[in-house]
Amino acid sequence: MRRHMEKAHKEEHDVKVALAMTDEKKKQAYFNRLRLKGNHYHNVRVLQTGTGQLLVLRRPKEGQAHSTEDYTPCPDCLGYVYKRDLWKHRQVCIAAGQDESKKNSTGRKMHFAESQRILNASVKKMTPTCDLQTYVLPVMVNDNIKITAKNDATIISYGKGILDRVGKQKGAYVSTKMREVSRFLMVMKVQDPNVTQLSDVFDPSKFETVIASVKEVCDYSRQDKDSNPGVFKTPSLALKLGYSLKACAEIVKGQAIINDDQTTVEKVDKFLFLHQCKHSGYSARVSSHALKTLYNKKASQPDVLPVTSDLLKLRKYLSEEIQKHTLSLLRDPNTDSHFGLSSATAARMILFNKRRGGEAMKVTIEAYRQREWEQNRSK
């Protein structure tokens, strides 16, 4: 490939840069990067069109079947490696050079998130204005649940709607909501082979299967040791799925109205009627049992209240930590002292506020400075 580039593409800017190098090792490494860059463009076309073969750094062994979802580009050299081995590759990647921050400063998930941002920006499977590919999909755990969510149009629309409502800073929350629905869809596909996507679920004839799938996802058991009607291992998920399924059904209905698909509109309306039915709908058959499970768990769990001496001890410790890290920053500014001071100050504010920690943690500097102190004191 190097010989081909030197002869056929010697007028290209990147090839000229490589030919001007005197160090043979650096020149060879530069040509390798050009080759991998070309492979990346080829792989992007394969992913966009769905036809062809990926060019990867290491071919799988004979007998091992891998799909395009199993490979991801290295953020440094753009070579495609097996996702599980990305962090190993970056330890020895020539393109990373001597930059130890790229090798050791981030964990495996951050390596993968950086790679996915590059891949999503290149492939652009979704619309460029959709922030899911920037703020949600890169931080989502890479497994079959993510693949199911990413390939379902209704789940994508559901996630985009949540992201528009809650903001880009809550990408992890949006990821969680999408994964909840994706888990349900995976179970639903097993229960009913005719279901290929989430929009197929919203059919009145499949309502019983929906209830059964929700119970399986949430690990429902008919009776416990106290002979209650039934308990959920994860009751909160059962409640959340009820709202999520209703929202997704409305998304499907809205799209059907736009497409003038009256048949789908009628099916979704009937499904929503069954879902909202007071005595035989989702509330009676799922939500009521989930709420009872939550109530029983809360009733049987003792409330542990802090002792006054413990609060005083905590307050003293935080004051000492704040003073220690402040002096350390004045003498020798460093990251560890700054992080320690920030953590201790946040804990001290939460303790003083005597409310949920999120209130103090989310206060911006601008809001703090613009607060009308004198007016609040007079009240």
Side-chain angles (χ1 to χ4, degrees), residues 10 34 55 76 105 130 168 171 179 220 255 289 379:
K10 58 183 179 181
L34 289 180
L55 299 177
D76 299 314
S105 63
C130 183
K168 301 174 183 178
R179 288 177 64 85
Y220 176 80
Q255 190 62 42
H289 298 304
K379 292 181 180 180

Side-chain angles (χ1 to χ4, degrees), residues 22 52 108 136 217:
T22 56
R108 299 187 187 187
V136 178
V217 171

